[in-house]
Amino acid sequence: MRDAGRIAAAIEIIDAIETRHRPARNAVKEWGRDHRFAGSGDRAWIGGLVLDTLRHKASVAFAMGSEAPRALVLGTVTRAWGWTADDLASKFAGDEHAPDPVTEEEAAGFTRDISGAPANVQGDFPAWAEPSLKRVFGKDLITEMQAFAARAPVDLRFNGLKVQGDKAINAVTSKIPSAHTGALSASCIRIPQTDPTGKNAPAESIPAYGKGWVEVQDEGSQIAGLAAGAQAGDQVLDFCAGAGGKTLELSAMTGNAGQVYAWDVDWRRLRAIFPRLQRAGARNVQVRDGDETTLSDLEGRMDVVFVDAPCTGSGTWRRRPDAKWRLSEKQLEQRIEQQDEALDNAAKYVKPGGRLVYVTCSVFPEENADRVEGFLAREPDFVQRSTLDAVLASGGLADGAENVLAKCVDESGALQLSPHRSATDGFYIAVLERVG
Ligand SMILES: C[S@@+](CC[C@H](N)C(=O)[O-])C[C@H]1O[C@@H](n2cnc3c(N)ncnc32)[C@H](O)[C@@H]1O
């Protein structure tokens, strides 16, 4: 396919997403299924443009004076990708699959200055979220949120149970030459995502992935795991284990010595954990897939209880840009209730002197500092400790990471990561110690 036809396809898909409320990735897949002539390169290009259009939806609509799919896509190609009206004219000329020629009004939108637009428009986030996001980012609100409208890299964590540093990195770079070591986690290998028309890095297709040497895990999520400080011999409960991303990291931190228990309130979510444990060679994990009574023998015994809480996922908006426009205040309220419940239920498993690590992939203070503050008011036996100290003590940081992470420390000593501050997803990480 030529670029003009690909742009026309992106317009069609955005229309389907907006009018039929289809999740973006499904809409892209369905388009590919219905248009078999499109090759994998075409589908990646078109999918990339669709996601970029959703990432920049508010700012582009404002500049173009229209929310129509055509305005959004043409505005994204020009304003986010840097193409000009002339570039489009020459690509569209004589191509029967091209969209209609660009109008003068549209061309004016391609270069319109929007520096006077409201913060939610410049930062491409839902207007209702502004008071919350302002609380966490203050004067940097627009810059911080603009970083959420960029594409995200693919991060891998190499699995210390199977492979060490250079060998893991060589195994990845031999197949994906652009990969490099991470800046924060010593176990991170980052595959950059720079070219807006490039294909997603095929991380899951490389032999090192098949052998269990690497897992896909955002570097911010890796830092969250490090905050647990799990060591050989520890008893660790992963209380919101889900598909087991953190369980694998916790098991690797213990070097398969000690015991990691994986549990989730929804046993169906644990389904994916079993093949992952096997692939990773994680042999000290017990998956408990019953109701919470199946954990009764663990009460007061855990060195670490890890609460990777259900959340709005606002910290992952780079990867799921349609989610940011779908999220509602009501959903935020539901998550807050689940977070309090998870924290309160998890606390009883922590032994005296043990740690409760509370993590979300969100940047809303209502899901983060407010939840921790409420928990500490209900549970006087816990005190908050410095997350940065915990992460430093884990020994799992890359050289120079401390300087970056020091900029992510909030008033209470928790870490709030973000694409702008730490070049990661927006993870929140708090460490709470049982002192009574
Ligand atoms: C962010 S996901 C966990 C992701 C997982 N730890 C990973 O790294 O792949 C949150 C999980 O919390 C679970 N959950 C929700 N409410 C819970 C509760 N009250 N107690 C325990 N788990 C809960 C959800 O079922 C979901 O699987």
Side-chain angles (χ1 to χ4, degrees), residues 1-3 6 9 28 31 35-48 197 199:
M1 289 175 76
R2 289 196 292 272
D3 287 351
R6 290 163 154 183
V28 171
W31 184 91
H35 298 80
R36 293 271 174 210
F37 59 82
S40 65
D42 297 319
R43 291 200 302 273
W45 198 105
I46 294 164
T197 62
K199 260 181 151 182

Side-chain angles (χ1 to χ4, degrees), residues 239-246 263-266 269 308-310 338 341-342:
F239 192 72
C240 301
K246 306 293 189 311
W263 185 78
D264 196 288
V265 76
D266 180 355
R269 291 186 179 253
D308 190 14
Q338 293 170 324
E341 187 183 302

Side-chain angles (χ1 to χ4, degrees), residues 217 221 238-247 263-267 269-270 276 292 306-311 337-343 345-346 359-361:
Q217 186 180 357
S221 167
D238 187 0
F239 192 72
C240 301
K246 306 293 189 311
T247 315
W263 185 78
D264 196 288
V265 76
D266 180 355
W267 55 266
R269 291 186 179 253
L270 293 164
R276 293 181 86 185
E292 214 192 311
F306 200 86
V307 176
D308 190 14
C311 70
E337 275 175 32
Q338 293 170 324
Q339 289 155 356
D340 284 343
E341 187 183 302
L343 266 173
N345 291 346
V359 174
T360 72
C361 54

Side-chain angles (χ1 to χ4, degrees), residues 67-378:
E67 287 196 344
R70 172 185 162 94
L72 295 178
V73 172
L74 296 187
T76 300
V77 170
T78 50
R79 299 184 64 87
W81 288 14
W83 292 24
T84 63
D86 286 345
D87 292 336
L88 285 176
S90 67
K91 301 239 183 218
F92 288 6
D95 188 332
E96 59 175 323
H97 302 294
D100 289 341
V102 170
T103 65
E104 270 182 33
E105 199 187 336
E106 284 173 334
F110 296 166
T111 55
R112 185 165 289 132
D113 175 22
I114 63 159
S115 54
N120 66 295
V121 168
Q122 291 190 62
D124 275 303
F125 59 85
W128 64 263
E130 182 166 343
S132 301
L133 295 171
K134 183 112 192 156
R135 258 180 76 197
V136 66
F137 293 134
K139 64 177 177 29
D140 295 329
L141 172 65
I142 293 174
T143 314
E144 286 276 2
M145 294 316 296
Q146 281 173 341
F148 277 94
R151 289 184 173 199
V154 174
D155 289 339
L156 306 177
R157 178 182 57 78
F158 71 76
N159 174 13
L161 294 175
K162 288 206 162 174
V163 69
Q164 288 306 325
D166 284 350
K167 195 170 168 191
I169 290 154
N170 293 339
V172 177
T173 52
S174 68
K175 301 291 181 270
I176 307 172
S178 63
H180 57 80
T181 50
L184 303 178
S185 158
S187 302
C188 180
I189 303 173
R190 173 159 287 189
I191 304 166
Q193 190 58 275
T194 45
D195 174 4
T197 62
K199 260 181 151 182
N200 254 343
E204 277 110 342
S205 67
I206 63 175
Y209 181 85
K211 287 191 268 190
W213 290 10
V214 292
E215 272 295 329
V216 175
Q217 186 180 357
D218 178 76
E219 192 167 29
S221 167
Q222 297 182 32
I223 298 296
L226 292 179
Q231 293 175 0
D234 276 355
Q235 298 287 306
V236 180
L237 170 59
D238 187 0
F239 192 72
C240 301
K246 306 293 189 311
T247 315
L248 296 175
E249 184 179 2
L250 293 166
S251 170
M253 287 174 81
T254 62
N256 262 337
Q259 191 76 60
V260 179
Y261 302 91
W263 185 78
D264 196 288
V265 76
D266 180 355
W267 55 266
R268 284 165 300 200
R269 291 186 179 253
L270 293 164
R271 167 77 186 75
I273 210 172
F274 299 100
R276 293 181 86 185
L277 292 175
Q278 204 156 27
R279 203 168 52 82
R283 291 190 307 274
N284 67 335
V285 178
Q286 263 189 40
V287 182
R288 300 243 175 135
D289 59 8
D291 63 21
E292 214 192 311
T293 58
T294 58
L295 299 179
S296 54
D297 60 316
L298 308 184
E299 275 184 37
R301 284 186 43 216
M302 296 295 104
D303 296 289
V304 180
V305 175
F306 200 86
V307 176
D308 190 14
C311 70
T312 58
S314 63
T316 64
W317 278 346
R318 292 182 305 173
R319 302 179 193 280
R320 302 183 309 125
D322 47 342
K324 80 177 160 184
W325 307 116
R326 270 206 309 269
L327 182 67
S328 66
E329 283 173 273
K330 186 154 182 270
Q331 286 167 326
L332 172 58
E333 279 163 27
Q334 286 167 347
R335 293 293 170 265
I336 287 170
E337 275 175 32
Q338 293 170 324
Q339 289 155 356
D340 284 343
E341 187 183 302
L343 266 173
D344 289 348
N345 291 346
K348 59 180 167 294
Y349 302 103
V350 182
K351 74 176 194 187
R355 292 177 304 283
L356 179 59
V357 180
Y358 177 72
V359 174
T360 72
C361 54
S362 177
V363 288
F364 289 126
E366 292 87 345
E367 299 186 85
N368 298 334
D370 292 359
R371 301 284 51 78
V372 169
E373 201 184 311
F375 172 79
L376 291 174
R378 294 190 297 277

